Amino acid sequence: MSLESVSISTSKYITTVKANIDGHDYTVRKMGAGTQLDLSREISNLMKMRTELLNLEGKMKKAKTDEEADKMLADNMDKMESFNKIVNRVEQIFIDLFDDGEDGKRSAKLIHALGIENTQKVYNEIFDKAEQDAKE
């Protein structure tokens, strides 16, 4: 008995919506559970890192010596680098959801220009409108 290859398509399991944003068409994929977990984890990391940066900023203001302030400034720079890496990972999650039909550069530019908070709003607006259109 030989085994034959089975061919399936995941398109029936993955929800996508066509959206025209600023005159360009994107295919926007609805987040799956794994993507939602990744995004939630990274947002939590951002909030934690933001708190650490704010605490460090407060300590820097209370530094008693230049050496102490310089060390805290170096720590601050390290934390800012970590913060930026997390922001980049969050942006990449959204870039992967917005297919520009090309090489992804347009999606990356859009997400970077919008920022995380506004990207989430645009994403929600797209799927809210798609759901409303489906009801009509």
Side-chain angles (χ1 to χ4, degrees):
M1 173 187 232
S2 68
L3 294 176
E4 292 188 30
S5 176
V6 175
S7 178
I8 65 166
S9 173
T10 60
S11 62
K12 65 183 177 182
Y13 304 108
I14 299 172
T15 303
T16 59
V17 172
K18 297 282 187 195
N20 186 287
I21 303 170
D22 296 334
H24 187 77
D25 290 329
Y26 294 84
T27 301
V28 184
R29 178 175 54 87
K30 190 164 187 170
M31 278 187 229
T35 303
Q36 288 175 349
L37 286 172
D38 291 344
L39 184 60
S40 178
R41 181 189 66 240
E42 295 300 345
I43 296 292
S44 293
N45 289 340
L46 269 180
M47 301 313 284
K48 179 182 172 190
M49 188 64 62
R50 182 175 177 266
T51 300
E52 290 177 18
L53 283 165
L54 289 172
N55 288 338
L56 191 55
E57 185 178 316
K59 289 177 183 178
M60 284 174 60
K61 290 178 182 177
K62 296 177 183 178
K64 293 179 170 73
T65 66
D66 288 342
E67 293 81 23
E68 190 177 343
D70 288 345
K71 183 188 178 318
M72 287 183 200
L73 181 59
D75 288 347
N76 192 342
M77 296 302 288
D78 288 343
K79 288 193 184 306
M80 281 302 298
E81 187 174 322
S82 296
F83 185 87
N84 287 333
K85 286 178 182 178
I86 297 168
V87 168
N88 289 336
R89 288 194 302 265
V90 171
E91 285 183 350
Q92 190 58 52
I93 289 170
F94 280 111
I95 290 167
D96 292 345
L97 296 174
F98 285 74
D99 180 359
D100 61 20
E102 298 169 8
D103 61 4
K105 288 181 182 176
R106 187 182 295 260
S107 294
K109 186 176 178 182
L110 172 71
I111 301 307
H112 190 70
L114 284 171
I116 295 168
E117 186 176 325
N118 287 328
T119 299
Q120 183 69 56
K121 289 177 184 176
V122 168
Y123 177 86
N124 291 342
E125 183 177 345
I126 289 167
F127 281 97
D128 287 347
K129 284 185 178 183
E131 188 176 306
Q132 287 173 354
D133 289 349
K135 288 180 182 178
E136 294 176 357

